[in-house]
Every structure is written in structure tokens, then in C-alpha cells.
Amino acid sequence: PETDPLCPSNVVPNTRTVNGHALSSNVTVSYSDLGTVPIANGGTNSTATPTAGGIGYGTGTAHAYTAAGTAGNPIISGGTGAPTFEVLAEQAITDGATITFNASNGINQKVTLGGNRTLAISNAIAGKIYLLRVIQDATGTRTVTWPATFKWAGGTAPTLTTTAALYDIITFDYDGTNYNANYGLDYR
């Protein structure tokens, strides 16, 4: 090994310190000892602590970590904000006079109709494809009134399966204005 001319015999003089710790012997430096290191000095300008299962991301002036995601769910860019994990598992929509497909809850959703319903959609992202499973309750014969922005293949909305406990699958993509929809009926 090379010898440091300022430190004969490879001894670190105890007059040198790191964050107030004398270098009279081996020093263990922990994350908390480093504090915030500016980006200009090769740091992250942040003291964010990694989250198990989370994803690190930069904001341009600092860094942060997402909360842990679910295994198998892809990460989605937040643009200028934090990225999120896409929810792939089917999510239940609460039944009511108006049923709302909130795209923020995931791309696969289901509802069991307890009466004739009107569908509303919120937070859809242009270019994404969504799936809605429409399940008849034990009574059956339930209908859905679709938003005017739903454009159906062939120009006509489907007549849903009305048999109790059976379901239909509606798929649609959002083009920024309309929902281009298709369907599969009478799943048993």
C-alpha cells in the first residue's frame, strides 16, 4: 500500500474529523452522519429514507421514495409528481343509483347491480384500456344507462344479460374525449 506523506506509518492523525468525529481509529459513517448532500456535490439534496418495496424517484431538485407497491403491479410515471403503482386486481364499485367507475382505483372493476343504474366515469387517462364486469344480483333484469361519451362498436349499446347472478364484461379505452367500448355478454 502507498503511504500518505501527510500521515506517516498510515496513521490517521486525531486532529482530523468527519462531522465532529475524531479520526483516531476506524470510523463508521452512517446515513444520518451524511445529512443532506447538494446535487451539485453528487448528492440527492434530500435525506429521504428508502421504503421497502418502494421506488426511488427524482423531482429535479431532490429525491423521494414511493410507498411499497403490490407484487406484479407496474409502476406508472407521475409526470412531474410521484410515480404510482397501477392496480391490476379487480376492484369492487359500490352499488347505488349512479355507479362510478373511478379509474384511480384500477383498470379492472366490477359492480353487482341492485337496481337499474346510471354509469359515471372519473379520472380516466387517455390511451388506457379499462374493464368493467357488470354482475346481475339475485333478482336480475337490471339495466345500465351508459354515458353519452360511450361510443359502441356498431353504434349500439348492448342489451345486458338479465339472468340473475350472470355477468357481462365491458371493455373501453379513453381517447381523451370518448370511451370506445366493446362487450362480451352472458358469462356463466
Side-chain angles (χ1 to χ4, degrees):
E2 292 184 26
T3 304
D4 183 342
L6 298 176
C7 301
S9 305
N10 285 332
V11 174
V12 178
N14 61 10
T15 57
R16 295 188 180 171
T17 63
V18 172
N19 287 345
H21 299 291
L23 296 178
S24 58
S25 62
N26 289 339
V27 176
T28 301
V29 179
S30 71
Y31 185 77
S32 62
D33 292 325
L34 298 177
T36 302
V37 178
I39 291 174
N41 296 346
T44 60
N45 205 39
S46 173
T47 56
T49 303
T51 304
I55 302 292
Y57 64 96
T59 64
T61 58
H63 84 286
Y65 293 89
T66 66
T70 301
N73 286 356
I75 192 161
I76 308 243
S77 171
T80 58
T84 58
F85 289 93
E86 179 76 86
V87 177
L88 298 180
E90 188 174 62
Q91 304 296 307
I93 298 173
T94 302
D95 184 46
T98 297
I99 51 175
T100 301
F101 186 108
N102 182 346
S104 295
N105 294 335
I107 59 174
N108 297 310
Q109 298 185 33
K110 67 179 178 181
V111 64
T112 300
L113 302 176
N116 295 334
R117 303 296 186 226
T118 298
L119 177 69
I121 300 179
S122 63
N123 300 311
I125 296 173
K128 283 190 129 177
I129 298 172
Y130 300 94
L131 183 144
L132 173 61
R133 183 194 319 232
V134 180
I135 307 165
Q136 292 289 335
D137 66 3
T139 302
T141 69
R142 311 302 190 179
T143 62
V144 173
T145 300
W146 306 99
T149 52
F150 258 59
K151 306 301 179 192
W152 296 96
T156 304
T159 300
L160 297 179
T161 302
T162 56
T163 306
L166 297 186
Y167 63 94
D168 304 311
I169 294 179
I170 310 300
T171 58
F172 54 94
D173 74 274
Y174 182 54
D175 66 13
T177 303
N178 295 307
Y179 300 91
N180 303 298
N182 211 334
Y183 52 89
L185 302 175
D186 199 25
Y187 285 91
R188 298 172 181 264

